[in-house]
Each structure stands twice: as C-alpha cells, then as structure tokens.
Amino acid sequence: MKKEKLILVGNGMAGVRAIEELLALAPDKYEITVFGEEPHGNYNRILLSHVLSGEKPFADTVLNDRAWYEKHGIRLESGRKVVAINRARRQVIAADGTIADYDKLLLATGARPTMMPLPGSHLFGVMSFRNIAEVETMLDLARPGRRAVVVGGGLLGLEAAYGLKQRGMQVTVVHLMDKLMERQLDAPAAALLKRSLEERGIAVELGAETQGFVGGKQVEAVRLRDGRTLPADLAVVAIGIRPNVELAQQSGIHCQRGIVVNGSMQTYDPRIYAVGECVEHAGNTYGLVAPLFKQAKVVANHLAGLGHARYEDQPLATKLKITGIDLYSAGHFGGGDGYEELVMEDPGRGVYKKLVIRDNRLAGALLYGDTTNETWYYDLMRDGSDISELRPNLLHGHGHLGDAGHSGAVAVASMPDETEVCGCNGITKGMIVKAITDKGLFTLEEVRSHTKASASCGSCTGKVEQILAFTLGGDYSPAPQEKPLCGCTEHTHAEVRNAIREQHLTTIPETMRFLEWKTPDGCPKCRPALNYYLISTWPGEAKDDPQSRVHNERVHANIQNDGSYSVVPRTWGGLTNAKELRVIADLAEKYNVPVKVTGGQRLAIPFIKKEDLPKVWATLNDNDMLSGFAYGKAVRSVKSCVGKGLCRFGTQDSLGLGVAVEKKFWGAWTPHKFKMGVSGCPRNCAEATIKDFGIVGVDSGWELHVGGTCGVRVRATDLLCKVATDDEAIEHAAAFLQLYREEGWYLERSSAWIERVGMPYVKKRILDDGAARQALAERFWHAQQFAQVDPWQDRAKSDRPDYEYAALEVVEAAA
Amino acid sequence: MTTIRNEMQWIDAGPLEAIPSPGARRLPSAHGDIAVVRTGSGAVYAIDDRCPHKGGPLSQGMVFGERVQCPLHGLVIDLPTGFAVGPDTGAVSTYPVRVADGRILVGLLPQTASAACGGGCACAQAA
C-alpha cells in the first residue's frame, strides 16, 4: 500500500509530539516530512530558562536529535522556512524554493513574542526570550555587574530575570500591572513572590510602563513613562505571545487570533490540521505545554484514521521554574461569587495555599512555598471529584488523610504504646500520652514543646493531634488558626495591613478592590479596622472616612443608653482651674445635667442631646478646652499625681511631665484605646503600672512601663527601661506608641499585643538601636502633625451642613 | 361599586443628598422617630428608629450592605425586611420609601407594626 504524505510545518514541541503519538498508533501510514525554521532538532523550549541560568546545558534540552528522525524515516528540512501553501495543488513552498507535496498537512507554527512598537526596539540587545538563538545572544551580553532590564513580570519574564541574575547581572523587572504574574496569582501570593525575588537580589518595579529603549547601536537604557531611565546593557521583552498565523492566513485558512480548529484539531481545510500555540480552539489560545500535548494526542488519533479522540479544554496549571521558589497555580484561583476559598498561610515559612471550591468541587488551586500536593489537587479538579469528605484535610494534602478523620481516631486508639509516632525524634505513642496526662497538656504546641513529637518534619502532625484528641476526649479543641479579619475577606489583619503598606493603598474602596473583598462595602468589623490601618499607615495622605468610624468616633462623643451623649473635655494631666470649672458648671446648669468625675481624672458632662453637642463644644472651644477623645480608639488621658511640687514623698515632677505628655500625645489614633499615667514616686498614686504606658518617678529619673490594663482583665505593666530625663521618657513613649500603632491589630490593646509579640521583641525594637527608636519616634511626630486636630473645633468652625447633628424634618405632607 | 381608599400618607423627608451614602438620619414624625437609611448602593429605607434589643437609635448606626448596626450593642437589622440578623431576634417596622424629584418620600401607613413580617409572625397574631 502506498504511503500517504504528511508534512509537519514547525519542528517544535507540539508538532513533534503529535508525530511521536502518530508513530505509536500508525507507524507505517505516512511518509513524513518536517520543516523547521531553526537549524536544530526538536528541543524543549520550556527548559530554556535553565539553559539561561546555567542549570542545564543546551544538550539536555534536546528532545529529538537527528538520529531519531532518521530512525523513523522522517525527512527533516531544518533551517527551511515554509512561506506558502498551495492548497489546490496540495504543496508547501519553502523560502529557498523547495516544494513538497502533501496529502495531510499539520501546522505547528507556534507563537511569536509580542513586541511593542516602541522607540528603540530595533537596538541591539533588545530581544525577546523564545528560542535558543536569543538565549545565546543573552549569554554573550550577560557579564557579572552588567545591567539587565526585563520588561514583563509574567512567567517567562521572571524566569529570564532569574536566569540573568544567576549569570551575575543586576536585574530589574519592569511590570505594567500592580502585581506579578497577575494571570496566575492573587495578591498575597504575588506579594510573597515579589519578596522572594527581591531576596534573590532582583529588583521589581510594579505599575511601570516602558516608553522606549535608549542607545546608539546597542541598548543603553530603558525609559519609563514616569520619566525614569533604567540603565541596561540588555533588555528582554517578555510581555506575552501571540499565535503565529501568518502562513495559514496567507494561504486562506480561517484564522482569528489563532488558526481556528475544531475538536479534532482540523482547520477549515479538512486536509490541514493544526496543533500547539498557533491554534485557537473554542476561543482559547495556548501558551502552556500540557494542553498542547493533549492536542498532539488528538491530532495523532485523527491522522491515524481512528477518529474517536476529541480535544477539550481542561483547567490550566502553571509552575514557575525558579530554583527555590515553589509556585503552582491552576484553574480558577480567583474566587468570586459562588466560590468558597480555603486558605492556609504561614508567612514565616513563606507558605501560602489557597483552594477555591465551587459546589463541593475543587475549581482552582494556588500553592506557594509548598507544592507537594499539586498533582493531587489537579486530579481532583480535572475529574470534578466531590471533595466534601476530604474537605477537613484538603489544605493539608494527600499525605495527611490517612491519619485524620474517624478512621484515624480508631487507629490511634488501637495503637500500642510502643509504636513510634514521630520518626524524626523517636517519640512513641506512650511517651506522648504520658506527657499529656502528667503535664496537663492541651494543645499541639504544648505537645511539641514538651516531647518534640511532630516538631521536626511535621509529617506526623495528624497522628499527634489524634492522640491528643483521643487522650483528652472532649477537652481537646484544635489549635486556632490565624483568622481572617472578618467575614468579608479571607485576609488576616497582617495581610491587609501589609497590602496597604506595600501597595500604597489610601482608600477603603481601593483596599477592598485590591484584596478582593467579598462584600460591596464591608461590615462594622472591617470598615473601622481598614480606616485605622489607612490613616495610621499614610498619615496626611489617607482620608479619614467618618462613615467607617465606630459610632462614638464618628460623632466625637459617647452615646449613652438613652441616646444622649456625654461630653468630656481634655484636662491636661488631670490639672484644671477655676475658669475651666466655671465653664463646665455653666454648661451643667444650662442643660440641667450633673457633672461626673471620670476614671481618667476628668469631668464629664452627661445627658447632652445630639443636636446640642455642637453648641456645647463651641462653648468649650471658646474657653480653650479641647475634646478629650474619651470616645476614641486613641490616646486618652494622662493620669498623674501631684508630684514633688506638692507631695512630700515625690521624687519627680509627675504633674509637669503628665501635662507635657498629654499635650504632645493627644489626638493620636491607636489600634485600641491607649491610656497613660505618670506617678512621681514608686507609691504610684497615678496607677501608672496598669496603664498602656506608665511613667514612674524614681530618684534618678523615670521608670518606663508598658502594656498594663485594668478592665475585664487586669494586667500589670512590664518594665521597659529606666531613663534619666523627661525628653528621653517622651522619646521612648513616642517610639513605643508608634510601634504599637504600626504593628498592633485593630482592637488589640497594647497588653494583648505585647503578649502576642513578646516583651523581648518590644525591647529589641525600642531599646537595642537608638537610631531605630528615633526613627519610630519621628514617624510618630510626623503623624501627629495631622492627628492633632480637635474634632469639636473642626465641627464648630465648619460650614458643612449639619447632617450629623440635626435630625431630618418633615417638610410638608406630600401628595 | 366599592372605592378602595388609599390610606397611605406620604411625608417629604427632604432632599436625597441630605443623607450620606452610606449613612442614616433620624426623622421625627407623627409616628415617632423614623430612621431614614441610605445604603452605599443608593437604596433608601425607612424603619422605626428603635432597636428591638434595648431601644437604641438605629439612625445613629453604621450602614453597610443592606444593613444597619445599632450603635448601642451592635444588633444588626436587615433593612429590606426589618428583621434582626441572626442569631439575634426581633424586628422593627419598615415604611415604604420612594424618591421623587430628588426628594425622599416616606409612606406612613396607619398600622405598620407587623409590616416587617407580612403579618405572619407572632406579634401580629398576638395583636
């Protein structure tokens, strides 16, 4: 039987894979000719980044050498570019005039890099990253110390950047979007990736638009839209690819973005098939290898005359090939309406896992730092498996399942005491049970610290938890994981705040958009927190949003149970005078209300109706009295005793310092209320050791105490340090306050924050490095410029309509 | 032939811009205080300005989504229905609202106490 003639145009991975598949199905059906533009056999383009980085020699990337073509009787026309197809005569014509006949034609012309029509694109040293010739040019230009700019922060761009960095170049990635690999990553994963790249010495410029390339013959710099020029001895452009349809289009084969094929990979000309990056199937084009190999299988099936295979798109999976960065993204990882998200984060280990679920099926997976279970997730996704049963352990991965669930509990119960549970540390079940019962342990962390079980590789964590649950019975509850800020988001306080800082977010809507908030305008839990993080991170820049303030802060007064308000003016250091007392007395008389002495050494005027608040404030302001912020998550009062000016025991002027401290610190917004106190001697009449910041006078100066609280729970302060002068006390207070403002979570008192981060950490940040302390204090004073605004005065002097304080009025009965 | 008299009385609560979006204001009326609430999406609701928990002024609460949170103890009212959001229980009366020529019109039905639950709840049966 005479063989049919098959021509493959494009000697790349997809086309040659199709031939391999075909040879397996019908080795003798065709006389095969392969045209390839490049002068090589078929090589693995995906591994070019390893060739660039020097991790693999080019030879290792060769998939089919010339001997392979010979062995299978395939004619290889390498270095010959096909320029035309005569479909009527069924011939392909190469640039050098070679003509070849076909019965079936397979187009695998791949894709071309997208190049920008920018000034200087023609300069030597401006190139894309697609083939071995370009890699060779890059390697010629790459010298340690020289500078490379990579335009494009997608998969290919980052791999190029890493390769060039490995060759000793100074590399900057310029990316148009506000996060790296935006098509494969969400914000937290992109942020982790950015950090990892920066740790490897690769600079990353986000939101940066390339305007052109500068140089004589050879590129010397890359110019950005914002006016900056980045010096560059080499500029790699990796901003995407587009299907190479030139040949097909010129031959009259229907193309849109790519060569349009049906599920058999057949073009509109039934004798012509297409496969790989050049095709468009069901509106999709391709850049990753997995779907291309599937297409190769399908096209081989049809070319072999079997005719039963069909190509269907499957979830796409991406891996970043940078040594030491494990990153996997597959399917629909973005979430959205109708999707649920399971998230596990361990920033300390650099691990982030997000699984997206819809209707009990896995729809997407994003793994950073730990990709061990990628194939399992991919299979679940591809097969559309019901994951309801797996869900409790889904995030932990496949390896975890055997030890968990009810079967695990039973297995643990029947396990003999001698069975070794933790192989790393040689810990048996008996040892763990004994530790739990003897020492009264309740949590996994305690078991780890007492026995070391599961503290090394962690693979036995499930078993240890089962033993804990089995031993404690109903007393056991799993360790709480770091929780999202509220139900509107999956992000924790830390992530939200980091995003605000790193992405320079300055408004609540912007932050919600960036972090993909699940609700349109948040809730009473997240909005005040976001507002605080914004104004504390970007003082003077982020605008305060009154509608996101908790009620008392919004109206600058404390609501009482009958709906009226109390007004508490500042009494600096608890020191007042006849004039102020007279003003307060007059107001009390005017509104027929009592006056209450508060716990913070102030005077409160209660029972003021809302509409009267601006009038009361105006009277107080006229007499130089400011809001006491008694309603705020803010610096409250500074309680002080009379000190050595009056007291026979006093060693220091606590009243003077108290007044000075309150004048310097008032107005600062904090994660939770912040109380201060100054006592003149260790008798501590100002109760400074249960304040957030307490100052206690001793003969030689001041003792500084932090993290006290006296409320539902009482916590005495920790001693921070001793200082000699008032100025030092104030600088330390400012530094401490700023550290807490920057790192405490919203609604976390300083006491809880200190218990979370530990006093050694606080001391390290405040005491170990004077310059660091000063920097903290300076940030605080900077913020104070914008914070020391009396909201009462602001209100009383404003000509804004009085919507907040006046009620609506019925204008008239409408028809 | 019977004539159905529309007993609804509409009152003009002023211009739409007089309420921040999101935000709320108190409207004193013949039926007592009403909280007129404008959501971030632009919808306007009117409910009794009295939290079913301890009588807090709902007009002073934080508005988010289609909900308002009482400033006193944090009970949340679903504005379209007037019901407290679980696990809390309770409900407030709701009033029909329309916006015409940029003005907010609130409809006062003589009896709105059980409007929130469509008359199907225990309060209506007890009445």
Side-chain angles (χ1 to χ4, degrees):
Chain A
M1 191 183 131
K2 191 170 174 287
K3 284 188 181 182
E4 290 181 77
K5 292 192 172 73
L6 171 67
I7 293 182
L8 165 64
V9 179
N11 186 28
M13 293 176 75
V16 176
R17 173 60 75 97
I19 301 296
E20 286 179 326
E21 297 277 356
L22 173 63
L23 292 173
L25 294 171
D28 299 319
K29 192 170 161 66
Y30 292 99
E31 184 190 310
I32 302 172
T33 306
V34 176
F35 282 85
E37 221 173 292
E38 291 182 64
H40 306 274
N42 177 32
Y43 61 90
N44 187 342
R45 217 178 279 283
I46 301 169
L47 295 178
L48 282 182
S49 50
H50 289 329
V51 177
L52 183 61
S53 65
E55 287 164 30
K56 270 192 169 62
F58 175 65
D60 281 10
T61 70
V62 173
L63 294 169
N64 307 88
D65 56 13
R66 287 179 179 274
W68 178 84
Y69 293 86
E70 278 165 31
K71 184 179 146 205
H72 291 95
I74 298 170
R75 194 153 61 116
L76 175 61
E77 301 282 1
S78 60
R80 286 213 165 89
K81 184 182 178 185
V82 174
V83 291
I85 303 167
N86 186 329
R87 288 161 60 206
R89 290 191 177 168
R90 303 213 295 266
Q91 289 173 334
V92 298
I93 300 133
D96 64 352
T98 311
I99 294 178
D101 296 328
Y102 68 80
D103 295 300
K104 294 274 165 60
L105 176 62
L106 177 56
L107 298 177
T109 47
R112 295 209 190 282
T114 310
M115 289 301 280
M116 299 168 292
L118 294 178
S121 293
H122 63 281
L123 292 173
F124 183 67
V126 179
M127 63 182 64
S128 56
F129 177 37
R130 277 292 288 175
N131 60 40
I132 189 64
E134 286 166 335
V135 170
E136 279 163 0
T137 312
M138 283 187 216
L139 292 180
D140 277 349
L141 291 172
R143 294 278 178 284
R146 283 197 187 172
R147 281 181 269 224
V149 171
V150 176
V151 178
L155 192 67
L156 205 57
L158 297 183
E159 291 183 5
Y162 171 73
L164 294 169
K165 181 74 206 170
Q166 289 299 99
R167 296 290 179 171
M169 294 189 84
Q170 294 180 42
V171 183
T172 304
V173 175
V174 172
H175 193 45
L176 186 61
M177 311 305 281
D178 58 9
K179 60 179 190 212
L180 294 169
M181 290 179 69
E182 70 282 350
R183 287 169 65 185
Q184 286 91 19
L185 301 184
D186 66 356
L192 280 173
L193 174 60
K194 180 166 181 277
R195 196 178 79 190
S196 302
L197 291 171
E198 285 167 347
E199 280 166 3
R200 284 167 171 73
I202 296 172
V204 179
E205 296 284 348
L206 295 177
E209 189 180 347
T210 303
Q211 203 179 30
F213 304 96
V214 184
K217 268 176 127 174
Q218 189 172 342
V219 68
E220 284 159 20
V222 174
R223 200 170 59 237
L224 301 182
R225 181 75 64 197
D226 62 15
R228 283 183 295 163
T229 46
L230 307 175
D233 302 296
L234 172 64
V236 179
V237 180
I239 55 172
I241 56 167
R242 55 186 170 78
N244 178 13
V245 299
E246 210 176 321
L247 177 66
Q249 213 155 30
Q250 283 168 3
S251 313
I253 297 166
H254 179 57
C255 297
Q256 288 174 19
R257 272 188 303 153
I259 304 170
V260 178
V261 295
N262 61 20
S264 320
M265 308 312 294
Q266 205 168 28
T267 69
Y268 273 65
D269 181 331
R271 286 186 180 273
I272 304 179
Y273 292 79
V275 71
E277 288 175 339
C278 61
V279 309
E280 174 174 334
H281 171 260
N284 293 320
T285 57
Y286 306 87
L288 300 170
V289 76
L292 306 193
F293 283 175
K294 278 198 59 205
Q295 292 174 356
K297 246 186 165 45
V298 172
V299 80
N301 182 285
H302 286 272
L303 286 171
L306 303 174
H308 58 69
R310 215 183 143 66
Y311 177 74
E312 277 172 55
D313 284 312
Q314 287 182 350
L316 287 179
T318 311
K319 287 201 78 169
L320 183 66
K321 291 178 300 301
I322 293 184
T323 306
I325 299 182
D326 293 320
L327 173 55
Y328 179 80
S329 159
H332 185 97
F333 64 83
D337 257 3
Y339 291 93
E340 297 172 86
E341 294 177 2
L342 306 183
V343 179
M344 199 283 279
E345 281 169 84
D346 186 345
R349 267 201 312 146
V351 173
Y352 173 77
K353 300 186 194 180
K354 173 157 115 180
L355 300 176
V356 177
I357 294 170
R358 190 187 174 104
D359 300 334
N360 287 322
R361 306 274 186 288
L362 196 57
L366 190 49
L367 309 174
Y368 191 97
D370 175 6
T371 57
T372 40
N373 289 287
E374 56 175 73
T375 46
W376 185 52
Y377 293 137
Y378 188 81
D379 290 347
L380 289 173
M381 209 179 311
R382 183 196 54 205
D383 301 341
S385 311
D386 188 326
I387 50 92
S388 341
E389 297 282 313
L390 306 173
R391 190 165 166 143
N393 294 290
L394 200 59
L395 271 173
H396 299 292
H398 201 207
H400 229 70
L401 290 175
D403 300 329
H406 290 298
S407 56
V410 175
V412 162
S414 58
M415 188 188 280
D417 277 354
E418 306 75 54
T419 303
E420 190 179 76
V421 173
C422 175
C424 296
N425 296 295
I427 309 298
T428 64
K429 177 196 168 192
M431 292 158 81
I432 296 172
V433 172
K434 189 167 185 307
I436 294 168
T437 47
D438 287 0
K439 302 207 170 73
L441 309 182
F442 283 93
T443 68
L444 179 65
E445 284 316 311
E446 287 171 344
V447 173
R448 278 188 181 153
S449 55
H450 280 92
T451 67
K452 297 280 173 287
S454 83
S456 298
C457 78
S459 66
C460 60
T461 301
K463 279 186 207 163
V464 175
E465 282 188 301
Q466 289 296 349
I467 294 170
L468 197 53
F470 164 71
T471 310
L472 293 175
D475 287 338
Y476 173 73
S477 60
Q481 295 180 342
E482 196 144 325
K483 287 196 191 97
L485 198 155
C486 71
C488 302
T489 179
E490 298 299 336
H491 298 294
T492 60
H493 283 270
E495 290 157 357
V496 170
R497 171 175 255 158
N498 287 343
I500 288 171
R501 190 175 295 143
E502 284 165 15
Q503 305 297 330
H504 204 115
L505 304 172
T506 55
T507 69
I508 290 175
E510 199 185 351
T511 310
M512 288 181 173
R513 252 195 320 276
F514 183 78
L515 293 171
E516 295 174 339
W517 233 245
K518 294 187 277 188
T519 51
D521 54 2
C523 73
K525 224 171 152 182
C526 60
R527 263 181 29 210
L530 289 175
N531 194 58
Y532 169 72
Y533 290 144
L534 288 165
I535 60 171
S536 59
T537 308
W538 303 110
E541 201 175 338
K543 203 167 163 287
D544 200 357
D545 175 25
Q547 296 300 334
S548 294
R549 287 281 193 174
V550 293
H551 174 262
N552 286 355
E553 288 182 2
R554 195 185 83 223
V555 305
H556 323 302
N558 290 60
I559 193 167
Q560 300 177 169
N561 56 11
D562 66 348
S564 67
Y565 292 83
S566 72
V567 174
V568 186
R570 253 189 214 291
T571 316
W572 306 107
L575 183 65
T576 185
N577 56 40
K579 183 187 159 199
E580 289 178 353
L581 288 171
R582 203 168 286 127
V583 174
I584 289 171
D586 287 347
L587 282 167
E589 199 166 66
K590 178 173 174 190
Y591 292 99
N592 191 23
V593 295
V595 174
K596 170 75 179 81
V597 178
T598 74
Q601 294 185 334
R602 306 198 272 196
L603 295 171
I605 311 169
F607 303 118
I608 301 296
K609 292 199 183 70
K610 197 177 181 192
E611 56 267 33
D612 292 330
L613 285 172
K615 285 179 269 178
V616 173
W617 297 339
T619 305
L620 291 166
N621 281 157
D622 287 346
N623 291 281
D624 304 320
M625 295 169 83
L626 302 182
S627 165
F629 283 58
Y631 44 78
K633 315 290 176 218
V635 169
R636 295 278 180 93
S637 60
V638 179
K639 187 171 182 173
S640 46
C641 67
V642 293
K644 75 172 178 190
L646 291 166
C647 175
R648 63 202 162 101
F649 298 117
T651 60
Q652 298 290 345
D653 178 14
S654 52
L655 187 53
L657 184 60
V659 172
V661 164
E662 189 159 359
K663 292 210 162 167
K664 278 185 179 296
F665 286 80
W666 76 270
W669 296 105
T670 43
H672 207 303
K673 60 184 169 187
F674 193 91
K675 298 181 172 184
M676 303 177 81
V678 186
S679 289
C681 79
R683 287 171 190 78
N684 194 14
C685 293
E687 297 161 354
T689 50
I690 50 165
K691 300 298 180 200
D692 294 275
F693 196 91
I695 304 174
V696 177
V698 289
D699 204 47
S700 56
W702 301 102
E703 282 177 3
L704 306 182
H705 299 260
V706 295
T709 181
C710 178
V712 175
R713 64 188 276 259
V714 181
R715 181 183 194 271
T717 45
D718 292 307
L719 178 65
L720 180 67
C721 63
K722 248 172 91 173
V723 296
T725 67
D726 289 10
D727 286 348
E728 286 173 276
I730 286 171
E731 180 185 294
H732 281 74
F736 175 79
L737 200 49
Q738 186 63 12
L739 188 64
Y740 167 55
R741 275 160 47 86
E742 289 178 4
E743 300 187 3
W745 307 143
Y746 186 68
L747 295 188
E748 183 178 46
R749 282 293 290 268
S750 71
S751 47
W753 167 65
I754 286 177
E755 285 174 6
R756 174 163 64 81
V757 301
M759 200 53 202
Y761 171 78
V762 175
K763 284 188 170 174
K764 181 169 148 257
R765 295 290 305 272
I766 309 264
L767 304 179
D768 285 7
D769 178 355
R773 174 175 64 246
Q774 273 168 19
L776 276 169
E778 269 158 31
R779 288 207 288 283
F780 179 74
W781 302 127
H782 171 75
Q784 280 298 82
Q785 295 171 56
F786 308 101
Q788 288 198 322
V789 176
D790 179 16
W792 294 355
Q793 206 162 22
D794 187 50
R795 177 67 256 167
K797 283 189 179 164
S798 162
D799 50 6
R800 293 192 303 271
D802 224 354
Y803 290 163
E804 183 62 73
Y805 301 98
L808 290 168
E809 279 172 48
V810 176
V811 176
E812 59 186 18
Chain B
M1 188 173 146
T2 34
T3 313
I4 298 168
R5 252 181 64 207
N6 183 1
E7 299 202 49
M8 180 85 78
Q9 186 206 352
W10 293 91
I11 56 172
D12 182 339
L16 184 60
E17 314 82 70
I19 303 177
S21 169
R25 289 182 72 184
R26 178 169 71 94
L27 173 69
S29 83
H31 288 258
D33 283 349
I34 294 172
V36 185
V37 184
R38 191 172 168 204
T39 68
S41 67
V44 184
Y45 296 97
I47 56 174
D48 261 343
D49 194 18
R50 222 186 120 70
C51 179
H53 174 226
K54 299 247 170 154
L58 296 167
S59 58
Q60 308 304 309
M62 190 185 292
V63 181
F64 63 105
E66 304 296 297
R67 293 173 172 187
V68 63
Q69 185 190 42
C70 178
L72 287 194
H73 308 97
L75 183 131
V76 173
I77 295 286
D78 177 57
L79 293 165
T81 63
F83 277 115
V85 172
D88 290 321
T89 54
V92 292
S93 297
T94 61
Y95 298 85
V97 176
R98 56 193 171 93
V99 178
D101 297 330
R103 299 195 73 83
I104 300 167
L105 305 178
V106 178
L108 298 183
L109 270 178
Q111 191 60 39
T112 54
S114 59
C117 53
C121 71
C123 62
Q125 283 149 18

